[in-house]
Each structure stands twice: as structure tokens, then as C-alpha cells.
Amino acid sequence: AQSVTQPDIHITVSEGASLELRCNYSYGATPYLFWYVQSPGQGLQLLLKYFSGDTLVQGIKGFEAEFKRSQSSFNLRKPSVHWSDAAEYFCAVGAGDYKLSFGAGTTVTVRA
Amino acid sequence: GAVVSQHPSRVICKSGTSVKIECRSLDFQATTMFWYRQFPKQSLMLMATSNEGSKATYEQGVEKDKFLINHASLTLSTLTVTSAHPEDSSFYICSARSVSGGALTDTQYFGPGTRLTVL
């Protein structure tokens, strides 16, 4: 069975600074990897996904993620954070049955 | 595109009553929908997979008689929490699988969630 670890529970970053959220996965085959963002009381919005091909994936809102098979990682990055990026971020891994396993999430706080 | 709605967004009910939550894919057909439960400050836990025209598949530990799922059409799935109790209070989120081009590119689109409070 697949699993996801997000080592950072909470990250605080200054507006305009860069952001990196860590994600490590465990899965026996080639994983399907996703990053979702959740604003308070809201559902999840897909930021980006990786299925195959280029290991650097571009997403919405200026986010990107890099798949590193050797490290079993799929870290999310943004060069310059905006106050509106404050939210909960979830990494997820999917299997062939389309079920998703989510990490515990990382809360991002943006300070002025 | 790929919008999923849920209704109601919030519901408060008395212990022992049943509550129905609807999940609709508004601009695409969803042969598969998923139901998740999220506790405060925690991740999403998959409860069940709902396939149109067939019985739902429940994850281990989820009571199928308590959480009734019906996927009556390609755009609608419902979750009914029967005889609700305070411990059922949670944030319930559905997702719908959109086939964008071959099985390997499926993406799940999530609804905004339903906050259930059982008194």
C-alpha cells in the first residue's frame, strides 16, 4: 500500500520569500503524485500532478514540484510567496485503482 | 471546467437522525466518486469509492450500514449518515474522477466539503 509523509507540520514564511514543502512517498511501482491546497473550510484544489515524463512539473499559482525517484520525494516550491498562499497543503500519491493516500498536510503561514 | 459541488455546505442535526449529503459533478461525467472524512487539523481519510450503477466499496473500518452511499447517475453521488451521533461530526469531502485522456491521466476534483455537526 502507498503512503505519504510530509515532515513539516507548520511552516512560516515571509511574503516575497521562497517556499519549499517536503513530501516523501512510499510505493512499490511508479507513483502518481499530486499536490493539493486547501483554504480554511474549503475543499481541495489541485496545484499540480506528476504521472510520467519531465520530473519538474509546473502548476498553477506559480508552484512547481520536482519528482526525485532516488529520494522518493516530490517537493513543492514557489519562488516568491504571496499572502494569499497561506493555506494547508497536501501531498498525495495515487495507485492504479485511482485511490489517493494523503499526507498529514503542512500549514503555511505567511507573515507580512 | 471540472467543478464539483456539495450540498449542504453545513448541517447541524440531532443525535439519532439521518443526514444526506449530495455530491455533483457539474460539467463532466464521473463514473467514480470518492468520499473522504477530515477531522480538524488532520488529513483526509478515504471512506469509500462510489461507482455509478454499482455498490460502493468501503475502506477497512468504515461501517457501510452507517454511511450509505448511492451513485445514481454519472453526475450525482449521495452519502447518508444514518442514526448520526456526535462522534460522526466531521468535515465530509467528495471527489469525482475526471478522465482527461486515458486511465493514467485521471485526476480527482474535489468538492468544497460539508461540515456535519451532530448535537
mmCIF file of all heavy atoms in Angstrom, chain A residues 69-110:
data_model
loop_
_atom_site.group_PDB
_atom_site.id
_atom_site.type_symbol
_atom_site.label_atom_id
_atom_site.label_comp_id
_atom_site.label_asym_id
_atom_site.label_seq_id
_atom_site.Cartn_x
_atom_site.Cartn_y
_atom_site.Cartn_z
ATOM 1 N N ARG A 69 13.043 10.217 -7.979
ATOM 2 C CA ARG A 69 12.812 8.803 -7.682
ATOM 3 C C ARG A 69 13.829 8.274 -6.671
ATOM 4 O O ARG A 69 13.479 7.508 -5.778
ATOM 5 C CB ARG A 69 12.887 7.981 -8.968
ATOM 6 C CG ARG A 69 12.563 6.503 -8.778
ATOM 7 C CD ARG A 69 12.786 5.727 -10.066
ATOM 8 N NE ARG A 69 11.940 6.199 -11.137
ATOM 9 C CZ ARG A 69 10.690 5.795 -11.326
ATOM 10 N NH1 ARG A 69 10.157 4.902 -10.516
ATOM 11 N NH2 ARG A 69 9.995 6.263 -12.350
ATOM 12 N N SER A 70 15.080 8.686 -6.793
ATOM 13 C CA SER A 70 16.133 8.170 -5.907
ATOM 14 C C SER A 70 15.890 8.550 -4.450
ATOM 15 O O SER A 70 16.341 7.851 -3.539
ATOM 16 C CB SER A 70 17.499 8.685 -6.352
ATOM 17 O OG SER A 70 17.536 10.106 -6.283
ATOM 18 N N GLN A 71 15.187 9.642 -4.239
ATOM 19 C CA GLN A 71 14.900 10.099 -2.878
ATOM 20 C C GLN A 71 13.452 9.870 -2.486
ATOM 21 O O GLN A 71 13.049 10.242 -1.381
ATOM 22 C CB GLN A 71 15.235 11.597 -2.759
ATOM 23 C CG GLN A 71 16.702 11.931 -3.018
ATOM 24 C CD GLN A 71 16.988 13.418 -2.957
ATOM 25 O OE1 GLN A 71 16.210 14.192 -2.395
ATOM 26 N NE2 GLN A 71 18.102 13.837 -3.546
ATOM 27 N N SER A 72 12.680 9.280 -3.389
ATOM 28 C CA SER A 72 11.238 9.076 -3.134
ATOM 29 C C SER A 72 10.589 10.375 -2.657
ATOM 30 O O SER A 72 9.841 10.394 -1.676
ATOM 31 C CB SER A 72 11.021 7.967 -2.094
ATOM 32 O OG SER A 72 11.505 6.743 -2.564
ATOM 33 N N SER A 73 10.917 11.439 -3.367
ATOM 34 C CA SER A 73 10.400 12.740 -2.936
ATOM 35 C C SER A 73 9.674 13.461 -4.063
ATOM 36 O O SER A 73 9.894 13.193 -5.243
ATOM 37 C CB SER A 73 11.537 13.623 -2.414
ATOM 38 O OG SER A 73 12.400 14.005 -3.475
ATOM 39 N N PHE A 74 8.809 14.368 -3.661
ATOM 40 C CA PHE A 74 8.051 15.190 -4.609
ATOM 41 C C PHE A 74 7.817 16.524 -3.916
ATOM 42 O O PHE A 74 6.726 16.848 -3.484
ATOM 43 C CB PHE A 74 6.741 14.495 -4.975
ATOM 44 C CG PHE A 74 5.975 15.155 -6.105
ATOM 45 C CD1 PHE A 74 6.564 15.355 -7.334
ATOM 46 C CD2 PHE A 74 4.652 15.538 -5.932
ATOM 47 C CE1 PHE A 74 5.863 15.942 -8.385
ATOM 48 C CE2 PHE A 74 3.929 16.123 -6.968
ATOM 49 C CZ PHE A 74 4.534 16.323 -8.198
ATOM 50 N N ASN A 75 8.865 17.311 -3.792
ATOM 51 C CA ASN A 75 8.802 18.566 -3.046
ATOM 52 C C ASN A 75 8.193 19.690 -3.866
ATOM 53 O O ASN A 75 8.449 19.837 -5.057
ATOM 54 C CB ASN A 75 10.201 18.967 -2.578
ATOM 55 C CG ASN A 75 10.774 17.997 -1.566
ATOM 56 O OD1 ASN A 75 10.072 17.136 -1.045
ATOM 57 N ND2 ASN A 75 12.068 18.120 -1.313
ATOM 58 N N LEU A 76 7.423 20.499 -3.191
ATOM 59 C CA LEU A 76 6.713 21.621 -3.815
ATOM 60 C C LEU A 76 7.471 22.912 -3.546
ATOM 61 O O LEU A 76 7.935 23.134 -2.427
ATOM 62 C CB LEU A 76 5.301 21.721 -3.245
ATOM 63 C CG LEU A 76 4.391 22.821 -3.783
ATOM 64 C CD1 LEU A 76 3.956 22.484 -5.212
ATOM 65 C CD2 LEU A 76 3.168 22.991 -2.889
ATOM 66 N N ARG A 77 7.577 23.760 -4.557
ATOM 67 C CA ARG A 77 8.321 25.014 -4.392
ATOM 68 C C ARG A 77 7.570 26.176 -5.023
ATOM 69 O O ARG A 77 6.805 26.019 -5.972
ATOM 70 C CB ARG A 77 9.700 24.911 -5.051
ATOM 71 C CG ARG A 77 10.613 23.860 -4.456
ATOM 72 C CD ARG A 77 12.029 24.052 -4.978
ATOM 73 N NE ARG A 77 12.125 23.783 -6.404
ATOM 74 C CZ ARG A 77 12.611 22.647 -6.906
ATOM 75 N NH1 ARG A 77 13.010 21.677 -6.100
ATOM 76 N NH2 ARG A 77 12.717 22.482 -8.205
ATOM 77 N N LYS A 78 7.838 27.346 -4.446
ATOM 78 C CA LYS A 78 7.373 28.592 -5.051
ATOM 79 C C LYS A 78 8.437 29.643 -4.791
ATOM 80 O O LYS A 78 8.856 29.814 -3.651
ATOM 81 C CB LYS A 78 6.019 29.022 -4.471
ATOM 82 C CG LYS A 78 5.452 30.251 -5.170
ATOM 83 C CD LYS A 78 4.012 30.520 -4.803
ATOM 84 C CE LYS A 78 3.476 31.711 -5.594
ATOM 85 N NZ LYS A 78 2.043 31.973 -5.350
ATOM 86 N N PRO A 79 8.876 30.349 -5.805
ATOM 87 C CA PRO A 79 9.990 31.291 -5.656
ATOM 88 C C PRO A 79 9.665 32.495 -4.776
ATOM 89 O O PRO A 79 10.517 32.975 -4.038
ATOM 90 C CB PRO A 79 10.274 31.748 -7.095
ATOM 91 C CG PRO A 79 9.600 30.770 -7.974
ATOM 92 C CD PRO A 79 8.449 30.230 -7.213
ATOM 93 N N SER A 80 8.431 32.966 -4.848
ATOM 94 C CA SER A 80 8.065 34.173 -4.105
ATOM 95 C C SER A 80 6.630 34.023 -3.608
ATOM 96 O O SER A 80 5.689 34.004 -4.395
ATOM 97 C CB SER A 80 8.198 35.405 -5.002
ATOM 98 O OG SER A 80 7.803 36.581 -4.312
ATOM 99 N N VAL A 81 6.490 33.941 -2.304
ATOM 100 C CA VAL A 81 5.192 33.661 -1.707
ATOM 101 C C VAL A 81 4.355 34.927 -1.552
ATOM 102 O O VAL A 81 4.872 35.996 -1.208
ATOM 103 C CB VAL A 81 5.398 32.987 -0.328
ATOM 104 C CG1 VAL A 81 4.100 32.907 0.438
ATOM 105 C CG2 VAL A 81 5.984 31.605 -0.510
ATOM 106 N N HIS A 82 3.075 34.793 -1.786
ATOM 107 C CA HIS A 82 2.105 35.883 -1.612
ATOM 108 C C HIS A 82 1.265 35.577 -0.384
ATOM 109 O O HIS A 82 1.109 34.413 0.013
ATOM 110 C CB HIS A 82 1.231 35.961 -2.874
ATOM 111 C CG HIS A 82 0.324 37.146 -2.919
ATOM 112 N ND1 HIS A 82 -1.006 37.079 -2.577
ATOM 113 C CD2 HIS A 82 0.562 38.434 -3.262
ATOM 114 C CE1 HIS A 82 -1.558 38.257 -2.715
ATOM 115 N NE2 HIS A 82 -0.635 39.104 -3.127
ATOM 116 N N TRP A 83 0.698 36.615 0.217
ATOM 117 C CA TRP A 83 -0.098 36.401 1.429
ATOM 118 C C TRP A 83 -1.244 35.424 1.179
ATOM 119 O O TRP A 83 -1.652 34.675 2.070
ATOM 120 C CB TRP A 83 -0.644 37.729 1.968
ATOM 121 C CG TRP A 83 -1.617 38.425 1.052
ATOM 122 C CD1 TRP A 83 -1.345 39.371 0.141
ATOM 123 C CD2 TRP A 83 -3.025 38.174 0.942
ATOM 124 N NE1 TRP A 83 -2.465 39.747 -0.525
ATOM 125 C CE2 TRP A 83 -3.532 39.036 -0.056
ATOM 126 C CE3 TRP A 83 -3.916 37.319 1.607
ATOM 127 C CZ2 TRP A 83 -4.874 39.065 -0.404
ATOM 128 C CZ3 TRP A 83 -5.260 37.340 1.257
ATOM 129 C CH2 TRP A 83 -5.721 38.205 0.250
ATOM 130 N N SER A 84 -1.742 35.394 -0.063
ATOM 131 C CA SER A 84 -2.865 34.509 -0.379
ATOM 132 C C SER A 84 -2.448 33.040 -0.439
ATOM 133 O O SER A 84 -3.305 32.162 -0.579
ATOM 134 C CB SER A 84 -3.483 34.916 -1.718
ATOM 135 O OG SER A 84 -2.529 34.837 -2.758
ATOM 136 N N ASP A 85 -1.158 32.768 -0.337
ATOM 137 C CA ASP A 85 -0.699 31.382 -0.336
ATOM 138 C C ASP A 85 -0.825 30.722 1.035
ATOM 139 O O ASP A 85 -0.566 29.517 1.178
ATOM 140 C CB ASP A 85 0.765 31.304 -0.802
ATOM 141 C CG ASP A 85 0.924 31.698 -2.266
ATOM 142 O OD1 ASP A 85 0.031 31.353 -3.073
ATOM 143 O OD2 ASP A 85 1.929 32.372 -2.590
ATOM 144 N N ALA A 86 -1.212 31.474 2.025
ATOM 145 C CA ALA A 86 -1.424 30.900 3.350
ATOM 146 C C ALA A 86 -2.572 29.909 3.288
ATOM 147 O O ALA A 86 -3.703 30.266 2.929
ATOM 148 C CB ALA A 86 -1.740 31.996 4.359
ATOM 149 N N ALA A 87 -2.294 28.650 3.602
ATOM 150 C CA ALA A 87 -3.288 27.586 3.462
ATOM 151 C C ALA A 87 -2.686 26.294 3.976
ATOM 152 O O ALA A 87 -1.561 26.261 4.483
ATOM 153 C CB ALA A 87 -3.713 27.429 2.001
ATOM 154 N N GLU A 88 -3.444 25.227 3.809
ATOM 155 C CA GLU A 88 -2.968 23.880 4.135
ATOM 156 C C GLU A 88 -2.621 23.195 2.820
ATOM 157 O O GLU A 88 -3.393 23.248 1.855
ATOM 158 C CB GLU A 88 -4.075 23.100 4.850
ATOM 159 C CG GLU A 88 -3.657 21.753 5.381
ATOM 160 C CD GLU A 88 -3.000 21.834 6.750
ATOM 161 O OE1 GLU A 88 -3.089 22.906 7.376
ATOM 162 O OE2 GLU A 88 -2.413 20.829 7.182
ATOM 163 N N TYR A 89 -1.467 22.548 2.785
ATOM 164 C CA TYR A 89 -1.012 21.895 1.564
ATOM 165 C C TYR A 89 -0.888 20.395 1.798
ATOM 166 O O TYR A 89 -0.302 19.955 2.785
ATOM 167 C CB TYR A 89 0.343 22.474 1.121
ATOM 168 C CG TYR A 89 0.224 23.901 0.643
ATOM 169 C CD1 TYR A 89 0.158 24.949 1.552
ATOM 170 C CD2 TYR A 89 0.164 24.197 -0.712
ATOM 171 C CE1 TYR A 89 0.024 26.264 1.120
ATOM 172 C CE2 TYR A 89 0.042 25.499 -1.165
ATOM 173 C CZ TYR A 89 -0.031 26.525 -0.238
ATOM 174 O OH TYR A 89 -0.152 27.827 -0.675
ATOM 175 N N PHE A 90 -1.456 19.643 0.880
ATOM 176 C CA PHE A 90 -1.444 18.195 0.985
ATOM 177 C C PHE A 90 -0.763 17.568 -0.211
ATOM 178 O O PHE A 90 -1.070 17.896 -1.360
ATOM 179 C CB PHE A 90 -2.869 17.633 1.079
ATOM 180 C CG PHE A 90 -3.583 17.974 2.344
ATOM 181 C CD1 PHE A 90 -4.453 19.046 2.403
ATOM 182 C CD2 PHE A 90 -3.405 17.213 3.489
ATOM 183 C CE1 PHE A 90 -5.121 19.367 3.569
ATOM 184 C CE2 PHE A 90 -4.068 17.518 4.668
ATOM 185 C CZ PHE A 90 -4.924 18.606 4.707
ATOM 186 N N CYS A 91 0.131 16.648 0.074
ATOM 187 C CA CYS A 91 0.743 15.823 -0.954
ATOM 188 C C CYS A 91 -0.017 14.496 -0.975
ATOM 189 O O CYS A 91 -0.449 14.009 0.075
ATOM 190 C CB CYS A 91 2.215 15.596 -0.609
ATOM 191 S SG CYS A 91 3.132 14.596 -1.782
ATOM 192 N N ALA A 92 -0.204 13.942 -2.135
ATOM 193 C CA ALA A 92 -0.935 12.686 -2.241
ATOM 194 C C ALA A 92 -0.291 11.789 -3.286
ATOM 195 O O ALA A 92 0.280 12.257 -4.266
ATOM 196 C CB ALA A 92 -2.403 12.941 -2.603
ATOM 197 N N VAL A 93 -0.410 10.494 -3.059
ATOM 198 C CA VAL A 93 0.075 9.509 -4.014
ATOM 199 C C VAL A 93 -1.085 8.638 -4.446
ATOM 200 O O VAL A 93 -1.921 8.247 -3.625
ATOM 201 C CB VAL A 93 1.228 8.670 -3.418
ATOM 202 C CG1 VAL A 93 0.781 7.912 -2.166
ATOM 203 C CG2 VAL A 93 1.768 7.692 -4.440
ATOM 204 N N GLY A 94 -1.155 8.374 -5.725
ATOM 205 C CA GLY A 94 -2.229 7.566 -6.274
ATOM 206 C C GLY A 94 -1.706 6.269 -6.838
ATOM 207 O O GLY A 94 -0.575 6.188 -7.319
ATOM 208 N N ALA A 95 -2.592 5.261 -6.778
ATOM 209 C CA ALA A 95 -2.245 3.955 -7.327
ATOM 210 C C ALA A 95 -3.114 3.668 -8.548
ATOM 211 O O ALA A 95 -3.923 4.494 -8.947
ATOM 212 C CB ALA A 95 -2.447 2.887 -6.259
ATOM 213 N N GLY A 96 -2.940 2.497 -9.089
ATOM 214 C CA GLY A 96 -3.676 2.157 -10.293
ATOM 215 C C GLY A 96 -5.175 2.081 -10.106
ATOM 216 O O GLY A 96 -5.934 2.164 -11.070
ATOM 217 N N ASP A 97 -5.626 1.963 -8.855
ATOM 218 C CA ASP A 97 -7.067 1.904 -8.598
ATOM 219 C C ASP A 97 -7.655 3.286 -8.374
ATOM 220 O O ASP A 97 -8.791 3.410 -7.938
ATOM 221 C CB ASP A 97 -7.362 1.003 -7.398
ATOM 222 C CG ASP A 97 -6.670 1.482 -6.120
ATOM 223 O OD1 ASP A 97 -5.984 2.521 -6.162
ATOM 224 O OD2 ASP A 97 -6.802 0.803 -5.098
ATOM 225 N N TYR A 98 -6.863 4.316 -8.644
ATOM 226 C CA TYR A 98 -7.284 5.712 -8.553
ATOM 227 C C TYR A 98 -7.493 6.198 -7.126
ATOM 228 O O TYR A 98 -7.851 7.343 -6.915
ATOM 229 C CB TYR A 98 -8.570 5.964 -9.357
ATOM 230 C CG TYR A 98 -8.512 5.376 -10.731
ATOM 231 C CD1 TYR A 98 -9.390 4.378 -11.119
ATOM 232 C CD2 TYR A 98 -7.552 5.796 -11.639
ATOM 233 C CE1 TYR A 98 -9.315 3.822 -12.373
ATOM 234 C CE2 TYR A 98 -7.463 5.232 -12.901
ATOM 235 C CZ TYR A 98 -8.346 4.249 -13.264
ATOM 236 O OH TYR A 98 -8.272 3.687 -14.496
ATOM 237 N N LYS A 99 -7.273 5.366 -6.120
ATOM 238 C CA LYS A 99 -7.403 5.841 -4.746
ATOM 239 C C LYS A 99 -6.194 6.694 -4.397
ATOM 240 O O LYS A 99 -5.071 6.405 -4.800
ATOM 241 C CB LYS A 99 -7.475 4.649 -3.787
ATOM 242 C CG LYS A 99 -8.720 3.803 -3.943
ATOM 243 C CD LYS A 99 -8.715 2.678 -2.913
ATOM 244 C CE LYS A 99 -9.938 1.804 -3.072
ATOM 245 N NZ LYS A 99 -9.940 0.687 -2.087
ATOM 246 N N LEU A 100 -6.446 7.718 -3.621
ATOM 247 C CA LEU A 100 -5.376 8.611 -3.187
ATOM 248 C C LEU A 100 -5.088 8.423 -1.704
ATOM 249 O O LEU A 100 -6.003 8.290 -0.895
ATOM 250 C CB LEU A 100 -5.754 10.072 -3.423
ATOM 251 C CG LEU A 100 -5.920 10.530 -4.875
ATOM 252 C CD1 LEU A 100 -6.277 12.007 -4.928
ATOM 253 C CD2 LEU A 100 -4.659 10.259 -5.675
ATOM 254 N N SER A 101 -3.801 8.431 -1.381
ATOM 255 C CA SER A 101 -3.385 8.455 0.018
ATOM 256 C C SER A 101 -2.743 9.807 0.260
ATOM 257 O O SER A 101 -1.835 10.213 -0.468
ATOM 258 C CB SER A 101 -2.380 7.339 0.311
ATOM 259 O OG SER A 101 -2.991 6.073 0.188
ATOM 260 N N PHE A 102 -3.217 10.483 1.278
ATOM 261 C CA PHE A 102 -2.767 11.836 1.563
ATOM 262 C C PHE A 102 -1.762 11.865 2.706
ATOM 263 O O PHE A 102 -1.840 11.063 3.641
ATOM 264 C CB PHE A 102 -3.963 12.717 1.941
ATOM 265 C CG PHE A 102 -4.822 13.101 0.778
ATOM 266 C CD1 PHE A 102 -5.835 12.266 0.337
ATOM 267 C CD2 PHE A 102 -4.625 14.307 0.120
ATOM 268 C CE1 PHE A 102 -6.631 12.614 -0.745
ATOM 269 C CE2 PHE A 102 -5.414 14.670 -0.961
ATOM 270 C CZ PHE A 102 -6.410 13.818 -1.397
ATOM 271 N N GLY A 103 -0.878 12.825 2.633
ATOM 272 C CA GLY A 103 -0.034 13.124 3.769
ATOM 273 C C GLY A 103 -0.818 13.885 4.815
ATOM 274 O O GLY A 103 -1.981 14.251 4.600
ATOM 275 N N ALA A 104 -0.198 14.129 5.938
ATOM 276 C CA ALA A 104 -0.879 14.792 7.057
ATOM 277 C C ALA A 104 -1.093 16.281 6.813
ATOM 278 O O ALA A 104 -1.845 16.925 7.529
ATOM 279 C CB ALA A 104 -0.100 14.590 8.341
ATOM 280 N N GLY A 105 -0.405 16.806 5.808
ATOM 281 C CA GLY A 105 -0.583 18.216 5.483
ATOM 282 C C GLY A 105 0.455 19.113 6.136
ATOM 283 O O GLY A 105 1.008 18.794 7.188
ATOM 284 N N THR A 106 0.727 20.234 5.475
ATOM 285 C CA THR A 106 1.610 21.265 6.016
ATOM 286 C C THR A 106 0.861 22.586 6.005
ATOM 287 O O THR A 106 0.352 23.000 4.953
ATOM 288 C CB THR A 106 2.894 21.405 5.177
ATOM 289 O OG1 THR A 106 3.629 20.190 5.203
ATOM 290 C CG2 THR A 106 3.780 22.530 5.732
ATOM 291 N N THR A 107 0.787 23.216 7.153
ATOM 292 C CA THR A 107 0.142 24.524 7.250
ATOM 293 C C THR A 107 1.166 25.601 6.945
ATOM 294 O O THR A 107 2.233 25.643 7.562
ATOM 295 C CB THR A 107 -0.426 24.755 8.658
ATOM 296 O OG1 THR A 107 -1.364 23.717 8.956
ATOM 297 C CG2 THR A 107 -1.115 26.107 8.738
ATOM 298 N N VAL A 108 0.846 26.453 6.017
ATOM 299 C CA VAL A 108 1.743 27.555 5.645
ATOM 300 C C VAL A 108 1.166 28.865 6.142
ATOM 301 O O VAL A 108 0.021 29.210 5.825
ATOM 302 C CB VAL A 108 1.959 27.618 4.128
ATOM 303 C CG1 VAL A 108 2.751 28.872 3.751
ATOM 304 C CG2 VAL A 108 2.675 26.368 3.641
ATOM 305 N N THR A 109 1.949 29.558 6.934
ATOM 306 C CA THR A 109 1.596 30.897 7.404
ATOM 307 C C THR A 109 2.505 31.896 6.714
ATOM 308 O O THR A 109 3.724 31.687 6.647
ATOM 309 C CB THR A 109 1.768 31.001 8.927
ATOM 310 O OG1 THR A 109 0.881 30.065 9.561
ATOM 311 C CG2 THR A 109 1.442 32.413 9.415
ATOM 312 N N VAL A 110 1.917 32.966 6.209
ATOM 313 C CA VAL A 110 2.702 33.991 5.525
ATOM 314 C C VAL A 110 2.667 35.256 6.373
ATOM 315 O O VAL A 110 1.588 35.773 6.688
ATOM 316 C CB VAL A 110 2.141 34.279 4.122
ATOM 317 C CG1 VAL A 110 2.985 35.348 3.424
ATOM 318 C CG2 VAL A 110 2.115 33.004 3.285
#
